[in-house]
């Protein structure tokens, strides 16, 4: 059984920093979820995921994250995305002595 499409945004991690990034409507990666393109149909979602996956030198682990659209832009509607949007929960790798 096919999974039901849910509107959302393309989310990934920046290859170099590991930070959460989002795909904007102009095809650029942004750090703020509210600047991400809100995708409302499955065909557009596939196109945007294909674009994201074609940029492995920038983004890794791209997926369609469920979200709600508001006047201020997309906002998370799932705990995982709220947690990711809030930023790292652990100190930066340098503070651990890891290169």
């Amino acid at each position: 059984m096919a999974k039901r499409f849910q509107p959302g945004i393309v989310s990934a991690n920046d290859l170099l920093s590991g930070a959460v990034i989002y795909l904007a409507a102009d095809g650029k990666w942004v750090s703020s979820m509210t600047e991400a393109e809100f995708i409302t149909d499955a065909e557009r979602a596939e196109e945007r995921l294909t674009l994201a996956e074609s940029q492995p030198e920038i983004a890794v682990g791209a997926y369609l994250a469920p979200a709600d659209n508001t006047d201020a832009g997309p906002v998370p509607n799932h705990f995982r995305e709220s947690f990711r949007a809030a930023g790292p929960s652990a100190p930066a790798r340098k503070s651990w002595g890891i290169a």
Side-chain angles (χ1 to χ4, degrees), residues 8-12 21-24 29 36-37 39 44-45 48-49 52 62-65:
I9 58 174
V10 174
S11 180
I21 54 177
Y22 307 98
L23 192 60
W29 292 98
E37 176 184 9
I39 302 167
R44 179 67 175 172
R48 303 310 277 170
L49 284 169
Y63 65 97
L64 187 67

Side-chain angles (χ1 to χ4, degrees), residues 5-57:
F5 174 79
Q6 290 185 320
I9 58 174
V10 174
S11 180
N13 289 89
D14 180 84
L15 175 65
L16 298 178
S17 71
V20 177
I21 54 177
Y22 307 98
L23 192 60
D26 63 3
K28 294 181 181 169
W29 292 98
V30 295
S31 60
S32 172
M33 181 183 278
T34 59
E35 296 176 42
E37 176 184 9
F38 186 71
I39 302 167
T40 58
D41 87 26
E43 187 175 321
R44 179 67 175 172
E46 280 300 315
E47 291 171 3
R48 303 310 277 170
L49 284 169
T50 298
L51 172 64
E53 292 167 355
S54 74
Q55 300 176 24
E57 70 285 356

